[in-house]
Amino acid sequence: MDSQNWKHSLLYITFLLAILHLTQNHFCHKLFFANQTVRVKKNPDLPLRFRSDGTFKILQVADMHYGTGTSVTRCRDVLASEFEFCSDLNTTRFLKRIILAENPDFLAFTDNIFGSSSPDAAESLFRAFGPVMESGLPWAAVLGNHDQESTMDREELMSLISLMDYSVSQINPSDDDLINPSKGGVMTKIDGFGNYNLRVYGAPGSMLANSTVLNLFFLDSGDRSVYQGIRTYGWIKESQLNWLRRVSHEFQGQKRDPLHPTDAISTMKPPALAFFHIPIPEIPHLFYKEIIGQFQEAVACSRVNSGVLQAFVSMGDVKAVFIGHDHTNDFCGNLDGIWFCYGGGFGYHGYGKAGWPRRARIILAELQKGKKSWMDVQRIMTWKRLDDEKMSKIDEQILWQSR
């Protein structure tokens, strides 16, 4: 064998050994390159589905306003007796407490870090989401109007969030979901970062175990913008609503479990819940209507009305919408048959009201019990938990119930 062939054989053997080594480590959580550890994302059990008892519980965390995740990031609007030892760590403690108290199936975050108090956006995100990643529960997030005020733009933030342990967040819909049939199959651009749909499947072993029985829509409501020369808050754009309408329409008459042909076609779309940060311009109208909860501050919405409410009404499947942004509003009110609910301020570094405990919203969907199996969603309920000594439960109400 000449030296040239010998070198080729040695390179080939080295290549095979390298492939074998990587294959052996494929299922490990860490890979090593140049003496540096690269972590592989830990994924939750998927798909999202109802429990065997016919329930699916969501914890909404609105307005964390997380800073450095240390005692340096002090609390705002707390009692004088609480201020000295109050910081981001109180937000972390609250998140851990409520996960233990409620044992949710899924967490939805709406507004996460307070950019101007976060010298390193990535580090702040990891500390903010630390408790949910430690819990191993699936979670998703949309951006608020402060997330991008640190060291990362909105696309970079959503990219990182989508790669974090147990996150099911998406940067934006897949290319297939952005193809518009009405425009000859041309791919359309969608505004923002963090527009996606998550399907929740029926209970295990049920007739609808392989069918979507609940949809969770996430939308990027933006941050700041200029409209007609005036600076205003962001809003949900027409491209986002067009995508949402197409997704909703796809569920009209969706096929059900082929093992049960008598129930193969349903003419009803599964109910949907929507999550985004900035309220729509119709929310102030609820000041004059019956609400459940407290309306304590002016609604900080965009000057632009892009027709979000009308889109939801025309779609017919969105039963409730969950927002934030106005920290001391925690009410639910009904607009044209759709409930709009504030999460209430969660984070201690965000503004609040002294003596008014930080809080979180819980959403519980329950399935209807058939003769032999769990069926479609029967009702959707909500309540709030306060970060007080008893983790008080308040304002329990039914948002939607099937006829």
Side-chain angles (χ1 to χ4, degrees):
M1 181 183 297
D2 56 38
S3 60
Q4 188 71 19
N5 290 336
W6 181 84
K7 289 180 182 179
H8 287 165
S9 298
L10 182 59
L11 287 173
Y12 181 68
I13 293 171
T14 304
F15 173 75
L16 289 177
L17 289 173
I19 292 296
L20 179 61
H21 176 73
L22 289 175
T23 302
Q24 290 175 335
N25 287 278
H26 179 72
F27 297 103
C28 294
H29 289 296
K30 295 182 179 180
L31 298 176
F32 298 90
F33 296 99
N35 297 321
Q36 293 185 350
T37 302
V38 179
R39 295 189 70 258
V40 177
K41 175 182 175 179
K42 298 176 183 176
N43 289 305
D45 293 333
L46 293 175
L48 300 176
R49 67 168 62 253
F50 278 73
R51 297 183 185 186
S52 56
D53 66 357
T55 64
F56 186 80
K57 183 186 288 187
I58 301 170
L59 165 60
Q60 181 200 6
V61 178
D63 297 284
M64 272 205 298
H65 275 237
Y66 214 78
T68 61
T70 67
S71 58
V72 175
T73 308
R74 304 310 299 270
C75 296
R76 296 179 60 184
D77 301 323
V78 295
L79 297 173
S81 59
E82 300 170 328
F83 180 77
E84 184 177 358
F85 301 104
C86 190
S87 69
D88 269 344
L89 301 179
N90 291 67
T91 303
T92 296
R93 189 177 302 114
F94 182 24
L95 185 52
K96 290 181 177 179
R97 286 184 72 202
I98 198 165
I99 289 174
L100 287 174
E102 286 288 356
N103 188 27
D105 300 290
F106 175 78
L107 285 84
F109 293 87
T110 55
D111 197 13
N112 314 294
I113 63 174
F114 193 59
S116 59
S117 299
S118 306
D120 185 323
E123 183 176 358
S124 293
L125 285 175
F126 274 105
R127 291 188 175 184
F129 296 129
V132 67
M133 290 192 289
E134 291 171 7
S135 74
L137 294 169
W139 60 278
V142 290
L143 300 177
N145 57 300
H146 292 292
D147 288 278
Q148 77 291 333
E149 293 172 348
S150 180
T151 56
M152 302 172 74
D153 63 29
R154 295 177 77 81
E155 183 175 11
E156 292 168 338
L157 288 163
M158 281 308 303
S159 297
L160 177 58
I161 290 172
S162 70
L163 295 172
M164 297 174 78
D165 286 348
Y166 303 109
S167 169
V168 291
S169 309
Q170 298 173 29
I171 305 170
N172 262 336
S174 66
D175 291 345
D176 290 341
D177 291 336
L178 291 176
I179 294 176
N180 191 341
S182 65
K183 294 185 178 181
V186 176
M187 187 175 297
T188 58
K189 180 183 180 299
I190 189 168
D191 289 281
F193 299 97
N195 304 287
Y196 53 100
N197 170 50
L198 298 176
R199 304 180 179 207
V200 185
Y201 288 76
S206 71
M207 295 174 64
L208 302 180
N210 298 319
S211 300
T212 304
V213 297
L214 178 69
N215 275 307
L216 308 178
F217 295 134
F218 292 82
L219 293 164
D220 180 8
S221 55
D223 49 273
R224 287 279 192 172
S225 188
V226 176
Y227 177 72
Q228 295 182 345
I230 300 175
R231 188 167 171 80
T232 185
Y233 283 111
W235 63 92
I236 295 170
K237 309 296 196 302
E238 183 64 22
S239 65
Q240 296 166 277
L241 295 177
N242 286 338
W243 164 77
L244 200 63
R245 292 186 190 100
R246 291 201 301 273
V247 173
S248 174
H249 181 73
E250 289 173 1
F251 285 97
Q252 184 70 45
Q254 70 166 332
K255 291 186 177 182
R256 295 304 180 97
D257 192 338
L259 296 178
H260 301 85
T262 57
D263 298 295
I265 300 295
S266 171
T267 58
M268 297 297 292
K269 289 187 285 189
L273 307 175
F275 297 84
F276 52 88
H277 180 61
I278 299 175
I280 61 173
E282 288 87 351
I283 297 296
H285 300 166
L286 292 171
F287 185 80
Y288 305 100
K289 296 188 177 185
E290 183 177 349
I291 60 173
I292 297 176
Q294 299 183 57
F295 198 141
Q296 299 186 117
E297 65 175 298
V299 175
C301 57
S302 175
R303 295 173 61 90
V304 178
N305 191 329
S306 59
V308 174
L309 177 59
Q310 293 90 334
F312 286 162
V313 171
S314 67
M315 286 160 53
D317 52 352
V318 176
K319 309 304 179 185
V321 178
F322 301 94
I323 55 177
H325 194 49
D326 306 321
H327 301 186
T328 60
N329 288 339
D330 74 343
F331 62 85
C332 286
N334 196 294
L335 292 169
D336 294 343
I338 300 172
W339 285 94
F340 286 79
C341 297
Y342 278 97
F346 188 96
Y348 279 85
H349 186 53
Y351 75 86
K353 185 177 179 181
W356 196 68
R358 265 52 174 190
R359 58 204 58 211
R361 181 168 293 281
I362 313 298
I363 305 117
L364 179 68
E366 298 177 321
L367 299 178
Q368 181 178 357
K369 185 69 173 179
K371 293 182 180 180
K372 298 181 180 180
S373 172
W374 290 111
M375 302 302 292
D376 294 287
V377 176
Q378 182 177 38
R379 69 175 180 172
I380 300 171
M381 304 176 62
T382 189
W383 60 86
K384 297 185 294 285
R385 287 279 190 182
L386 309 184
D387 190 21
D388 57 14
E389 186 176 345
K390 298 180 180 179
M391 194 71 76
S392 301
K393 179 180 180 179
I394 64 170
D395 295 339
E396 185 172 3
Q397 67 178 106
I398 296 174
L399 294 173
W400 177 80
Q401 193 158 334
S402 63
R403 297 176 182 177

